[in-house]
Amino acid sequence: MRVDAVAENLLIWYDAHRRRLPWRAEPGAPAPDPYRVWLSEIMLQQTTVAAVKPYFDRFTTCWPTVTDLAFADEAEVMSSWAGLGYYARARNLIACARAVMRDHGGSFPNNEEELRSLPGIGEYTAAAIVAIAFGRRAVVVDANVERVASRLFAFAEPLPAARPALRRLVDRITPNERAGDFAQAMMDLGSGICTVRSPKCMLCALSSDCAALVQGSPETYPMKAARRAKPRRRGTVYWIERDDHVWLIRRPGKGLLGGMRALPSGPWTDEDPGVAGAPMPACWSDAGTVSHVFTHFALDLRVLTTRWTADVAGGEWWPIDQIEQAGLPTLFARAASRAIADREQER
DNA sequence: GACCCGTGGGC
DNA sequence: TGCCCAAGGGT
């Protein structure tokens, strides 16, 4: 394979077919603002472009610069992230913005080592920022790039063990110029052409160099180690209502849905505690069950509702007609919808 | 290296 | 429908 030809062909294809995205510079324009590149890269971690777009627009409108974000109200940022998932990203986002303010004078560092030391920025994100925002050569390897490279070289060692070797292969085909465009081109190719299932090899700019295509089964790459089965857990959330308000708590800062506003709930285990685990001895009514799938377990969550007149400790009464502004993660938003639907039915 | 951490789309 | 997957990072 002519290693140089890969980048040449890919960049020619990219110049004609690149996606227009809100965080990208227009063709021929200077590199985009590092803040916008950073923000988009954090949001895009394990998250689709379609899901990110509205969040990116909202964040850049509310907080146009990293300084604005550094001085933002934490609860407001967390609520604005609600629904996007992986909430540690939002906690790290705030911490990172403040570190850029405090330690770097409000400007993102332009090298991978310093970027890597910031919260939420790992190997991939540091390389992407350096290449895309600062126009420097960096080896940018995400899941798209791994897939394209594993097919290009018909590299059969399964992930994740194959990662270091795949990175060396990507290093070989990364050009000295336009490394940022090259990285984004690899992602566009992986997203639209060199897809997980049914890759469109007839449309691929790299097909003439693709070893997996010669073998006849590019879709079998990359190989992956077997994964564990997903357990199912059960639990209960409690909808506590008083004068058109509902009782909301804030979850602990770490762990699942950490730092997010939520409905109070018992433990999520094999056995559902039900009424026995309720926060107060009330008369509970069953509003049904919502099912939700997390990364490493599935959950059936029963929704119990009650009316309450006394005070409760450790939370806040939230107006039910403004529940969508509470910034509830999707699981609790769905539980709330279930409770509200049940409540409307009572009337 | 293994495990934890959300969500929605596609087939 | 259940399973796979996604512009990963932290511990």
Side-chain angles (χ1 to χ4, degrees):
Chain A
M1 179 194 305
R2 264 193 60 224
V3 164
D4 290 352
V6 172
E8 288 170 17
N9 291 337
L10 187 64
L11 287 168
I12 290 170
W13 173 81
Y14 182 68
D15 288 337
H17 299 287
R18 56 187 285 172
R19 287 179 290 180
R20 303 298 214 277
L21 298 170
W23 44 87
R24 276 189 185 169
E26 286 300 306
D33 176 7
Y35 168 66
R36 293 168 64 88
V37 174
W38 164 73
L39 180 62
S40 68
E41 290 300 341
I42 301 299
M43 288 184 166
L44 286 162
Q45 288 168 5
Q46 298 287 284
T47 309
T48 58
V49 165
V52 165
K53 276 180 179 172
Y55 286 84
F56 182 83
D57 290 341
R58 197 173 317 139
F59 269 70
T60 50
T61 299
C62 289
W63 305 291
T65 70
V66 68
T67 306
D68 296 320
L69 190 58
F71 286 114
D73 177 60
E74 274 193 53
E76 203 176 321
V77 175
M78 297 305 288
S79 289
S80 298
W81 196 276
L84 198 55
Y86 284 138
Y87 299 98
R89 292 185 296 174
R91 288 179 255 131
N92 286 331
L93 192 78
I94 299 167
C96 183
R98 292 180 179 170
V100 167
M101 260 321 276
R102 189 185 62 241
D103 303 334
H104 300 278
S107 300
F108 280 88
N110 67 353
N111 62 86
E112 292 181 75
E113 184 183 352
E114 286 184 281
L115 285 166
R116 278 286 277 110
S117 72
L118 291 166
I121 298 182
E123 185 176 17
Y124 160 78
T125 304
I129 292 172
V130 157
I132 297 169
F134 295 110
R136 298 172 146 217
R137 186 181 186 281
V139 182
V140 183
V141 187
D142 73 329
N144 287 301
V145 177
E146 284 178 349
R147 185 170 58 257
V148 172
S150 68
R151 289 173 179 175
L152 202 55
F153 293 94
F155 190 75
E157 184 184 355
L159 290 170
R163 214 146 264 159
L166 271 176
R167 188 184 184 284
R168 286 193 290 274
L169 292 176
V170 175
D171 196 348
R172 284 175 50 190
I173 59 174
T174 300
N176 290 322
E177 305 292 328
R178 299 189 65 188
D181 283 348
F182 176 79
Q184 294 176 93
M186 290 284 275
M187 295 177 206
D188 280 13
L189 193 79
S191 165
I193 305 287
C194 195
T195 50
V196 176
R197 285 178 290 268
S198 309
K200 303 174 178 64
C201 302
M202 298 294 291
L203 300 177
C204 182
L206 306 185
S207 60
S208 63
D209 287 311
C210 184
L213 181 58
V214 172
Q215 290 181 350
S217 53
E219 70 280 358
T220 60
Y221 294 90
M223 312 284 187
K224 294 195 175 180
R227 61 176 58 189
R228 286 193 329 180
K230 198 170 281 191
R232 181 166 288 274
R233 298 181 189 165
R234 302 170 196 288
T236 302
V237 284
Y238 304 97
W239 176 270
I240 303 158
E241 190 175 328
R242 186 181 84 177
D243 301 332
D244 294 319
H245 288 60
V246 62
W247 188 250
L248 299 182
I249 55 115
R250 189 173 292 279
R251 293 176 64 84
K254 293 183 178 181
L256 190 71
L257 307 175
M260 300 301 289
R261 217 173 250 132
L263 294 171
S265 73
W268 302 343
T269 57
D270 294 339
E271 295 293 320
D272 175 13
V275 176
M280 68 266 286
C283 177
W284 297 98
S285 118
D286 194 330
T289 299
V290 294
S291 296
H292 194 76
V293 180
F294 292 102
T295 305
H296 56 292
F297 68 94
L299 177 67
D300 292 320
L301 199 57
R302 181 148 44 131
V303 183
L304 294 184
T305 69
T306 193
R307 294 178 189 284
W308 195 247
T309 53
D311 279 325
V312 192
E316 57 189 326
W317 292 108
W318 192 273
I320 293 173
D321 61 3
Q322 293 175 40
I323 193 70
E324 295 191 355
Q325 278 69 55
L328 294 176
T330 299
L331 165 67
F332 294 111
R334 300 216 309 237
S337 296
R338 175 59 58 92
I340 291 168
D342 189 68
R343 175 172 175 263
E344 298 298 327
Q345 205 172 11
E346 294 290 309
R347 299 188 171 178

